[in-house]
Amino acid sequence: MSQYAVSKENLIYSFDAHMNPILTVPSGSSLTFHTVDALGGQIKQDADTVDALDFSKVNPATGPVAVEGAEPGGALRIDILDIETDSYGVILAVPGLGVLGNAVQFPGTKVVPVGGDRVFFDSFSLKKQPMIGVIGTAPASGSIACGTPGDHGGNMDTRDIRAGHSLYLPVFQPGGQLAMGDVHAAMGDGEVCGTGVECGAKIHCSVHHIPSFPIRRPLLVTPTEIQIIASAETVEAAAKLAVEDLVEHLVLTHALAFNDAYMLASLAADVRISQLVDPLLTVRACLDRRYLDSGTSI
Ligand code: CA
């Protein structure tokens, strides 16, 4: 049972540098965010179609919540405890959207049952693996639509942002200002058609303020890996940002020379595509945590 509930009446469509919190909680609090799907719950049946996706109006996030004591130069750690999805999800084909958007002749909608640990897509049964598409903090300046990812987080559409994993987000503004939404019951790396199984959900998490943890962009910790998540206009540019951070991390944690850290990253790290379909593209540089634990031979 969470200490705080954030209702889905509290929606934002952009992460603003100076947005006002709807709630302020102490570090260490447990919260449940009630979230709507990427289309705001407007699609209920296969006959409801979407002709075009306006990234300035999709992916509403629930929040923001301020964390007491959070100040620029620190980070928020969000421990994702559980994600309960609605009993159905929506998948869209939209002309112009996704990797093959130009080949989509007319819009298509599929509303699929989500039950137990499965998603049922026609005769296919897929493993249900709920993930958070949009999660972020107030940016350093300006306003960033919830459809766009960035150093503040936002629409990262990264399948590993899920229960059992911890996400560190930079704090750029007092309180951090955490908001989240856009849950997918299942999605592959790339999100090639531009949607996952889009669901309303309840996200159970705990939030901690980590002082003096000056990360530049989101960092995900899973039981086995650290993942640095970067977004940019191209895959190559996003990969460069993520790898730069990872190599710097290795230099600092192992006191390695740059060349050695660079070579080690080449041997041990994977660069994975998170999504190829949003206004900026997202990749993550992933390293087995064994290479970070002290005393481990490498
Ligand atoms: Ca999304």
Side-chain angles (χ1 to χ4, degrees), residues 6 31-35 62-63 65 178-180 201-205:
V6 190
L31 299 104
T32 297
F33 288 79
H34 297 252
T35 65
T62 300
V65 173
L178 176 69
M180 63 187 76
K202 292 183 209 133
I203 303 168
H204 305 285
C205 62

Side-chain angles (χ1 to χ4, degrees), residues 32-135:
T32 297
F33 288 79
H34 297 252
T35 65
V36 298
D37 69 43
L39 286 309
Q42 297 172 59
I43 304 291
K44 302 274 191 205
Q45 54 189 348
D46 289 2
D48 300 333
T49 56
V50 176
D51 295 323
L53 210 58
D54 179 348
F55 274 97
S56 69
K57 296 196 174 77
V58 294
N59 289 351
T62 300
V65 173
V67 180
E68 287 174 6
E71 291 292 338
L76 294 185
R77 190 187 84 220
I78 301 101
D79 299 328
I80 305 166
L81 305 175
D82 191 22
I83 303 174
E84 294 179 68
T85 67
D86 287 347
S87 58
Y88 73 96
V90 177
I91 310 149
L92 300 174
V94 179
L97 180 64
V99 173
L100 304 180
N102 291 343
V104 179
Q105 302 290 318
F106 50 86
T109 297
K110 206 174 270 291
V111 179
V112 300
V114 176
D117 63 348
R118 310 303 294 178
V119 172
F120 301 98
F121 183 103
D122 295 342
S123 61
F124 301 95
S125 168
L126 293 82
K127 182 174 170 53
K128 176 181 165 188
Q129 204 158 62
M131 49 157 278
I132 304 171
V134 172
I135 181 168

Side-chain angles (χ1 to χ4, degrees), residues 71-74 137-141 151-153 170-174 176 215-217:
E71 291 292 338
T137 53
S141 63
D151 292 347
H152 70 299
V171 172
F172 296 112
Q173 305 293 342
I215 52 173
R216 282 191 286 253
R217 50 186 55 87

Side-chain angles (χ1 to χ4, degrees), residues 38 59 133-134 155 157 182 184 191 194 198 278:
N59 289 351
V134 172
N155 193 20
D157 284 328
D182 183 34
H184 304 166
E191 198 186 12
E198 309 286 336
D278 295 331

